[in-house]
Amino acid sequence: MEAAETQTTGSLLEQLTQALDRGAADSIRQMLGSLHAAEVADLLESYPQGPREILWELVEPDVRGEVLVEVNDEVRAGLISLMESEQLVAAAEGLDTDDLADLIADLPGAVTREVLRSMDKQNRDRLEAVLHYPEDTAGGLMNVDTVTVRASVTLDVVLRYLRVHVDIPETTDKLFVVDRNDVYKGILRLSALLTNDPELLVVDVMDRDVQGIPSDMPDDEVARLFEDRNLISAPVVDGNGRLLGRITIDDVVDVIREDADHSLLSMAGLDEEDDTFAPVLTSARRRAVWLGINLFTAFLASWVIGLFQATLQQVVALAVLMPIVASMGGIAGSQTLIIVIRGLALGQVGSSNARWLMVKELAVSALNGIVWSLVVALLATLWFGDINIGLIIAAALIINLVCAAIAGFTIPFTLTRLKIDPAHAGTVVLTTITDVVGFMVFLGLGTIFLV
């Protein structure tokens, strides 16, 4: 089954479904055993509850812990509920400290106590060190399994130390140089260790320019740091400069993916940790709140339209063209909204350059408003044979696109100050504003000049 390693999740899913339909347990067990834990996790998330339970029973016990770490929170909770306490303790054994920290919060209290009791003091202290920090910070992301050396020893001593070291942590591309108090001083790259004279001291070849990452740095900033500096691993330090652990690229990739999922799903009021194949009632309950909010905003827009009921009865053309104004404003505002949210998330937009961006977005919307208002005005005039209707919709389009740009720019800043995720609520607020303003301006102008 080595060929399965290069297959896509879709093709694996198809093969697995066929094996499930045939009841070929041995084939399924063999297929799952040939995959990485993350691939097994993807497959488990791709099935509803019944088939998922069957597959989970066929996953080898010695990789279940790694799979539990990889699946999303809701699926993990469901799989944990299927396992006995002894199975959970066995699954937790052998996990890296940072992975165990992610898993242990979801384990039942009795299982957590048993896991802690089964660990030696050193590993228990390491786990407690990671659990001390919020999971969305560098401290919560780090692994405390590091290899440290002193600046005063020779490279030959370091080489001999590594040869007798039982286990060198995975993705080790550098060693961390510390003093006798574990204060971080710099890094010793493995390339420098292997290519320099063994009689040289570590202090002669170490790199002092690589700064330690503060333990309280948010994980999205950590990910940006890894991206900007092309890092494979990086040291994590406390407020006194003491080395606490290291962050590796595999953990950062997880952060990047989670942030991408969050940005996409939150715009629809969904959570990246939700089970895609959750029961109907569970999913319906979650989405009902979002639909309720949208229903309120829709009633608000309808109320505005109702204010101009008499105008619409006299000039039917306004009712026909009305959706164009709101739709164009919504699209233009969404473009600005997404640009600003992305800029805030990447740290590229702040108080120092916000004014420039606002002026630019206003200019873009005004220019697009002028261009497309001329097009729409011409089409509306030809359609209804009334130049006044064309002029009114043109004016409404320009005003609404400019207002949409202002709203798309200010909403993310306002929601951020209110401690609300702009990706989550920004779209609803923007749609409400562009609909209300668009209808109000268009129908108001129609009332003034046509009735």
Side-chain angles (χ1 to χ4, degrees), residues 101-123:
D102 292 336
L103 176 62
I104 202 165
D106 296 325
L107 298 178
V111 175
T112 300
R113 289 190 292 272
E114 185 61 32
V115 170
L116 294 175
R117 203 165 25 240
S118 66
M119 301 171 67
D120 57 39
K121 185 178 185 306
Q122 182 183 31
N123 285 324

Side-chain angles (χ1 to χ4, degrees), residues 406-424:
I406 295 173
F409 180 84
T410 56
I411 286 171
F413 286 99
T414 303
L415 293 177
T416 300
R417 289 193 186 97
L418 296 174
K419 309 287 187 197
I420 300 174
D421 185 358
H424 194 80

Side-chain angles (χ1 to χ4, degrees), residues 7-10 12-13 16 32 35-48 52 55-56 59 66-72 75 79 254 257 261 275-277:
Q7 292 179 318
T8 63
T9 300
L12 288 171
L13 190 61
L16 206 53
L32 294 175
L35 301 175
H36 186 275
E39 295 173 313
V40 176
D42 286 339
L43 291 170
L44 289 172
E45 290 178 355
S46 303
Y47 281 98
R52 183 184 295 158
L55 293 176
W56 185 239
V59 174
E66 297 176 42
V67 175
L68 287 174
V69 171
E70 297 290 345
V71 294
N72 68 46
V75 173
L79 296 177
D254 291 339
R257 177 179 176 180
D261 288 345
D275 182 2
T276 303
F277 292 93

